[in-house]
Amino acid sequence: MRVAIPKETAVDERRVAAVPDTVARLAKSGFEVVVQTRAGLNAGHPDSAYRDAGATIAESAAQTYRGADIVLKVREPRESEEIGAHEIELLPEGSILIGFLNGGRDPELVRRLAARRITAFAMELIPRTSRAQKMDALSSMSNVAGYKAALVAANSLTKFFPLLMTAAGTVAPARVFVLGAGVAGLQAIATSRRLGAVVEAFDVRPAVAEEVQSLGATFVAHEPAKAEEAGSGAYAKELSEDDQRRERELLHQHVAAADVVISTANVPGRRAPILITREMVESMRPGSVIVDLAAESGGNCELTEAGAEIRHAGVTIHGPVNLAATVPTHASQLYSRNVLALLQLFMEDSSIKLDFEDEIVRDTCITHQGRTGDQLHTQRNTEEAVPSG
Ligand code: NAD
């Protein structure tokens, strides 16, 4: 079977879906691997490293996709000026596509994938279960983003992060307030602590208090009126109106005292909760910084502009949308391991077998044999499939 690794076409994308290490593993498992020239260059992997790992280098996107049974990508197929076509048109009919496919936000893409009879797996739909942990690409990317958010904040702040004792006097450490202590939040806490800041963190799930404290930060506790309002699983449920108001009062005090706020609060499938109001921003000291990781899903700060850096009342507000791509070497390493783990789930000897009874396969597959995910869910019992060779 032939596995293709095209060069990503999105302008801001520097990651690659397979690094030489994963290519070597695929080659060892009997797959023929074709990598588009310069596909891994921005992530630190020249063509020669892929060749050494057992891949063939293709000179163009068209050559890379030609005859592929499986295509591994980071981002969803898109119209590309460089290629002069939509990437979907290059996908061989009946092939398997794995990547962050963004299907929920782009039904037209799903329709086109189904029309081309592509078996498409969306990495953003990997369930957050222990069995799927090694495939959990969203968590991998949140880890990278949480780390980078702390660096963006430190770089933008007009102060030091650590306590400094110098002959010219003592410098107090920066105060960092992290909102949402999930994957990205915990990494932002850990990185801010490593840089020497004094860190506080807030989350609606009291269960994370211990993790926050074990990283050397203080947990800011808010007691919802009804204990069951706070989610107990890996994700939080949305708070009631009343609790949001009470929460805002608590947050206001901590935001006003902070030099840096890193916000990562997220409720899956919904708009990000607004936790930082205009009034709160205006109560911060000039020179303070907000890094809003929830920018793409609407922002945790009401002033955030996705993909932009703005200033309001002397406060810099960053709304980054693809921080993982700014640490392309390690983001690609982690992502390619996640993709390989998903692929290994499908591998049987040297062919591919899809078991639609498996929760991971079922939840992640958005199109198969001309049907979309919803249609598949109803028909999954009759499924087996898939192309080999
Ligand atoms: P996660 O689900 O692991 O964590 C989110 C946390 O927010 C949870 O702990 C949850 O309890 C908490 N939360 C929910 N509602 C809250 C509220 N009202 N107040 C306080 N806490 C609340 O998610 P994650 O993987 O850490 O991702 C966090 C955010 O970062 C998401 O919006 C994600 O899309 C975003 N993200 C952005 C980038 C980027 O480059 N900008 C990259 C990766 C992730």
Side-chain angles (χ1 to χ4, degrees), residues 33 35 225 232 287 290 293 343 355 373:
V33 186
V35 178
S232 54
I290 296 173
L293 280 192
L343 209 45
D355 172 11

Side-chain angles (χ1 to χ4, degrees), residues 14 27 38 60 147 158 180 195 198 212 244 283 294 327 345 347 353-354 375 387 389:
R14 302 174 70 205
R38 302 169 70 86
S60 67
Y147 161 81
T158 55
L195 289 172
V198 170
V212 166
Q244 283 183 21
S283 69
V327 192
L345 186 73
M347 288 181 192
K353 290 252 152 53
L354 297 184
Q375 296 161 336

Side-chain angles (χ1 to χ4, degrees), residues 239-383:
L239 287 178
S240 72
E241 280 276 309
D242 185 48
D243 269 311
Q244 283 183 21
R245 185 187 51 77
R246 293 173 60 240
E247 185 184 273
R248 270 200 291 272
E249 286 163 12
L250 176 78
L251 295 185
H252 199 150
Q253 292 167 32
H254 291 269
V255 168
D259 296 301
V260 167
V261 176
I262 299 173
S263 68
T264 76
N266 180 47
V267 180
R270 305 217 184 163
R271 190 212 180 279
I274 292 205
L275 302 176
I276 312 162
T277 60
R278 171 188 293 266
E279 199 189 350
M280 290 185 203
V281 174
E282 288 169 0
S283 69
M284 293 178 84
R285 283 182 293 276
S288 302
V289 178
I290 296 173
V291 181
D292 190 348
L293 280 192
E296 210 169 8
S297 39
N300 290 142
C301 172
E302 66 181 358
L303 301 176
T304 297
E305 286 176 22
E309 175 190 326
I310 60 155
R311 301 254 301 171
H312 182 84
V315 177
T316 306
I317 305 171
H318 295 266
V321 290
N322 191 7
L323 276 184
T326 67
V327 192
T329 302
H330 282 140
S332 301
Q333 179 187 319
L334 300 178
Y335 179 71
S336 65
R337 282 290 180 92
N338 296 139
V339 167
L340 180 70
L342 180 65
L343 209 45
Q344 279 166 340
L345 186 73
F346 308 156
M347 288 181 192
E348 203 178 274
D349 303 321
S350 49
S351 69
I352 294 284
K353 290 252 152 53
L354 297 184
D355 172 11
F356 280 87
E357 290 298 304
D358 185 314
E359 176 202 39
I360 301 173
V361 176
R362 207 170 58 222
D363 290 2
T364 318
C365 185
I366 59 167
T367 58
H368 177 55
Q369 294 184 337
R371 295 193 295 271
T372 63
D374 295 341
Q375 296 161 336
L376 283 166
H377 281 195
T378 51
Q379 294 183 28
R380 68 173 183 267
N381 291 341
T382 55
E383 284 298 328

Side-chain angles (χ1 to χ4, degrees), residues 21-45:
D21 178 57
T22 47
V23 165
R25 286 165 197 247
L26 287 169
K28 208 170 151 205
S29 306
F31 289 88
E32 181 195 341
V33 186
V34 181
V35 178
Q36 187 177 344
T37 185
R38 302 169 70 86
L41 207 55
N42 285 328
H45 305 295

Side-chain angles (χ1 to χ4, degrees), residues 105 128 136 138-146 178-186 202-205 208 231 233-239 244 247 251 263-268 272-275 291-297 300 319-325:
R105 291 199 208 152
R128 269 193 182 172
D136 185 354
L138 274 187
S139 286
S140 298
M141 297 307 110
S142 287
N143 233 320
V144 177
V178 176
L179 296 172
V183 181
L186 288 170
F202 169 79
D203 197 292
V204 285
R205 292 182 299 138
V208 296
Y235 291 126
K237 293 178 195 156
E238 202 166 33
L239 287 178
Q244 283 183 21
E247 185 184 273
L251 295 185
S263 68
T264 76
N266 180 47
V267 180
I274 292 205
L275 302 176
V291 181
D292 190 348
L293 280 192
E296 210 169 8
S297 39
N300 290 142
V321 290
N322 191 7
L323 276 184

Side-chain angles (χ1 to χ4, degrees), residues 138-165:
L138 274 187
S139 286
S140 298
M141 297 307 110
S142 287
N143 233 320
V144 177
Y147 161 81
K148 196 61 190 275
L151 299 189
V152 167
N155 201 33
S156 188
L157 188 67
T158 55
K159 297 178 170 183
F160 281 115
F161 258 39
L163 169 106
L164 284 188
M165 288 163 96

